[in-house]
Amino acid sequence: MNFSGKILGYDPGGNGVHGVAIATLICNKVKDLEVQTLATAEDVIKLASAAPRLDVLAIDTLTALSTGLSGWRPADRWLKKNYKEITHSIASANSLFGSMGLNGISVMAELRKQDPSIRITETHPKVLYFELSGCKYDYRYSAQKMNHLLTKLLGIQVHTSNDHEWDAVASVYSAVMGYSGQWHNNLHALPVEETERLVKPVGDTEYWWPSI
């Protein structure tokens, strides 16, 4: 399956630490990549709105919510079961910082309101880095190594100035692999338990992950 289009990777944060990456793809190949850090979620929305049509938002935040205990979702439980070495990086929804959820959902909601056809995939760059490299996420001491990995995977030079930008580019990679059909594991398709339901605040989304 060939994918061509524009992907916005976004790592929500607090003031001054919103990582964004915009990639242009032609037949699964990244032809252009712009990376930067913005001040607010409003700046992210304005950047996205000014860009030529976006096809995908790849975002490191909750794109679906659970009504069960502590907000644990099937996707979170699956990651926790399969990545025991880094369980500290996998948290229940109820324990996450507000900036991640609130800013992320604000951007998702606004972009889908502007374009109901935009596809959205959730990402988890810190756990993904472990899956791809076998190493624990440590941008402070491993930035060069981590940038090299993304350069190799995306086939284009990747330079990031902070971990928020790295997470945004890694989110782009997740979208490339999922929407090009190279990853088939959608964590939001996992069955829910009888004591919960998935709530979709912006409608249907995916959560593409490598098969393991």
Side-chain angles (χ1 to χ4, degrees):
M1 181 191 307
N2 281 330
F3 174 81
S4 296
K6 196 171 289 288
I7 298 172
L8 172 64
Y10 174 39
D11 178 51
N15 293 337
V17 288
H18 294 257
V20 294
I22 297 182
T24 303
L25 275 77
I26 299 176
C27 295
N28 300 341
K29 302 294 183 182
V30 179
K31 300 299 183 181
D32 182 68
L33 178 67
E34 300 176 13
V35 183
Q36 58 184 303
T37 302
L38 299 178
T40 66
E42 178 64 18
D43 289 334
V44 178
I45 293 170
K46 287 179 177 176
L47 176 72
S49 300
R53 174 188 167 89
L54 287 175
D55 297 278
V56 175
L57 171 64
I59 185 168
D60 179 15
T61 196
L62 304 170
T63 63
L65 307 172
S66 170
T67 58
L69 291 173
S70 299
W72 282 105
R73 307 171 304 164
D76 306 321
R77 291 192 294 267
W78 187 90
L79 290 174
K80 202 169 182 65
K81 175 183 176 182
N82 287 285
Y83 297 96
K84 293 183 172 63
E85 303 92 334
I86 51 170
T87 53
H88 66 281
S89 294
I90 305 160
S92 68
N94 289 9
S95 65
L96 296 174
F97 290 113
S99 60
M100 175 187 176
L102 296 176
N103 287 325
I105 288 178
S106 295
V107 170
M108 280 196 303
E110 188 61 26
L111 294 190
R112 184 150 271 178
K113 183 177 77 172
Q114 293 179 12
D115 181 3
S117 70
I118 191 171
R119 289 178 278 186
I120 299 174
T121 183
E122 183 169 334
T123 70
H124 200 320
K126 289 176 173 60
V127 179
L128 181 62
Y129 178 69
F130 183 82
E131 164 63 27
L132 297 174
S133 70
C135 300
K136 293 183 179 179
Y137 187 107
D138 186 3
Y139 185 89
R140 181 178 180 183
Y141 296 105
S142 304
Q144 184 175 356
K145 176 183 177 181
M146 293 173 70
N147 285 335
H148 178 73
L149 175 64
L150 288 180
T151 295
K152 179 180 178 181
L153 292 172
L154 288 170
I156 193 171
Q157 187 65 42
V158 173
H159 173 75
T160 61
S161 301
N162 54 58
D163 58 327
H164 304 287
E165 291 182 358
W166 194 93
D167 288 2
V169 179
S171 296
V172 166
Y173 177 68
S174 293
V176 171
M177 299 304 287
Y179 293 113
S180 67
Q182 297 177 74
W183 289 355
H184 304 283
N185 191 12
N186 176 11
L187 300 186
H188 279 336
L190 293 168
V192 298
E193 296 182 347
E194 293 183 0
T195 55
E196 67 185 355
R197 72 182 67 197
L198 275 186
V199 177
K200 304 174 181 180
V202 299
D204 288 337
T205 63
E206 286 77 44
Y207 193 163
W208 295 115
W209 201 262
S211 298
I212 61 173

